[in-house]
Amino acid sequence: FPVTIEPQKYIVTCVNGGSLYSSNSSGNGFSYWLSQNQVGQKWVQNPGTGLPATGNYYGCGINLTGQYQAVNINGGNVYLSSSYGAFWNQPNISYTGAAYQVGYSYSGQYILIPATPVMLSTSYGKYWTSTIGNLSISASNAAAVSANGSFMALGASQFIYTSSNYGSYWKTIGVGVGTSDIRTISISATGQYMVFGDYDSFNSNLYSSSNYGNNFTFKTITAANGWGSAVSATGQYMIVTFNTSGAAFLSTSYGLYWNSLSTALGIGTLGTVNASMSLNGQIMVISSSFYASGPGGVFISYDYGVTWSKNPAGLTNQAYFGASLSGNGNYLLLAIGIVTGKQIGRA
């Protein structure tokens, strides 16, 4: 899936609160910036309509082209856009939980929301069901969908659940994470390559699979609480972030070898929240919820993770919970959420 990043393209960002926010003025709000030249280099404000004026924005998701977008607000309220973020609507569905990730097929037809219960749409968000084949779990924290929607993966407690037939039948896979939780999972275009970091308060593990989750290899690292992940279309490029220790790791070898990104990012103590990348892995994004000294920021690489820039084009330090980059690299959806007393959290 080769991708050419052209100079006149667009990135979209969103933040939460009660009034409009832009990179040129302070304040809160849910709004967009439209990048009019090389990805993320210049921004102008371009608010969408149909979203609530206030609320905490958690998980978000986006399809290949950026036409279809989703954001979870206040836990249990998903808003969808089929117009590149210009207009939004709320489907008549009921669930609870932050929906840390929203899984999209490339076309936008298949949408998987990990929550209580798990919700699936096979109709671009028009119709939804919580009765998904033989899936027996009542709740999930992480979700991923393959390019055509045939392969799906969920993370819940100590297990991975996978389906290779559009959600009709699910297989339970124990990956040996002990008492840890799984709050993030990402897959390649076909689902063959899979990666996640377990949510452990001490030393966590990086888990990767090259055979659709049937077997996993792991690497123990000095980091805690796996919180975000991303995989390129072929599976060659992978990122896993850890919240408590502010660690981020990159693999350019299909998960065989891993390198810390802490030096490349030039960051100290922070909470890395979420990660995303374009299909070919050229553009990578890591959102940070906080630094030791205050709110976090956004880190973007345009060269496969070799060099990184912080808060491009005047984006300010905020508690960036979620980051979802469209596969073609044209749209980036960012969500900010505020926890009382301290700007921390995750999407």
Side-chain angles (χ1 to χ4, degrees):
F1 297 87
V3 174
T4 301
I5 305 302
E6 300 175 0
Q8 297 294 325
K9 292 299 182 180
Y10 307 93
I11 286 184
V12 178
T13 72
C14 55
V15 300
N16 84 322
S19 59
L20 291 179
Y21 170 92
S22 75
S23 60
N24 296 320
S25 63
S26 61
N28 295 319
F30 188 99
S31 61
Y32 297 92
W33 293 276
L34 186 63
S35 177
Q36 294 184 321
N37 56 1
Q38 185 179 5
V39 179
Q41 297 301 305
K42 183 179 179 181
W43 303 79
V44 294
Q45 194 173 349
N46 179 32
T49 59
L51 289 163
T54 60
N56 287 328
Y57 289 73
Y58 294 105
C60 55
I62 196 166
N63 81 317
L64 169 67
T65 63
Q67 178 180 355
Y68 294 93
Q69 302 177 19
V71 64
N72 181 52
I73 304 174
N74 294 331
N77 298 283
V78 66
Y79 286 78
L80 305 174
S81 174
S82 59
S83 55
Y84 300 91
F87 303 97
W88 295 79
N89 67 85
Q90 184 179 17
N92 184 25
I93 60 176
S94 177
Y95 65 89
T96 60
Y100 295 148
Q101 293 179 302
V102 179
Y104 262 103
S105 63
Y106 284 6
S107 68
Q109 178 180 355
Y110 295 88
I111 312 171
L112 189 62
I113 298 179
T116 307
V118 177
M119 302 297 299
L120 173 65
S121 174
T122 62
S123 56
Y124 301 90
K126 184 176 182 180
Y127 304 106
W128 293 84
T129 182
S130 59
T131 304
I132 308 172
N134 67 323
L135 186 66
S136 59
I137 57 173
S138 59
S140 173
N141 288 321
V145 179
S146 67
N148 65 2
S150 63
F151 190 88
M152 301 177 183
L154 291 165
S157 189
Q158 295 89 45
F159 297 93
I160 297 293
Y161 300 83
T162 63
S163 172
S164 57
N165 54 5
Y166 301 92
S168 296
Y169 176 80
W170 293 81
K171 179 170 60 176
T172 303
I173 302 170
V175 291
V177 298
T179 59
S180 301
D181 196 3
I182 299 172
R183 299 194 180 186
T184 178
I185 190 168
S186 294
I187 60 176
S188 60
T190 63
Q192 178 182 353
Y193 292 91
M194 187 181 303
V195 68
F196 70 92
D198 63 357
Y199 189 82
D200 190 283
S201 298
F202 299 98
N203 288 341
S204 293
N205 296 309
L206 293 170
Y207 290 83
S208 61
S209 173
S210 60
N211 60 0
Y212 300 92
N214 291 311
N215 302 101
F216 282 86
T217 59
F218 71 91
K219 173 182 175 63
T220 300
I221 59 175
T222 306
N225 300 341
W227 214 256
S229 59
V231 180
S232 62
T234 63
Q236 179 179 356
Y237 297 93
M238 299 178 174
I239 289 178
V240 179
T241 64
F242 294 82
N243 185 55
T244 302
S245 52
F249 294 85
L250 169 67
S251 174
T252 61
S253 56
Y254 300 90
L256 293 177
Y257 306 102
W258 293 88
N259 295 306
S260 172
L261 286 174
S262 295
T263 301
L265 295 175
I267 54 180
T269 302
L270 81 162
T272 48
V273 175
N274 222 322
S276 191
M277 69 175 69
S278 58
L279 289 187
N280 63 355
Q282 179 182 347
I283 304 176
M284 299 178 180
V285 180
I286 293 176
S287 66
S288 169
S289 58
F290 68 92
Y291 302 97
S293 58
V298 177
F299 300 87
I300 298 182
S301 172
Y302 302 99
D303 55 9
Y304 302 92
V306 177
T307 60
W308 294 78
S309 59
K310 175 191 170 186
N311 292 346
L315 292 178
T316 59
N317 288 347
Q318 299 281 347
Y320 293 97
F321 278 24
S324 293
L325 179 67
S326 60
N328 60 12
N330 295 352
Y331 288 85
L332 171 62
L333 188 63
L334 299 173
I336 289 180
I338 299 176
V339 177
T340 302
K342 190 175 183 181
Q343 290 185 291
I344 59 175
R346 72 143 297 160

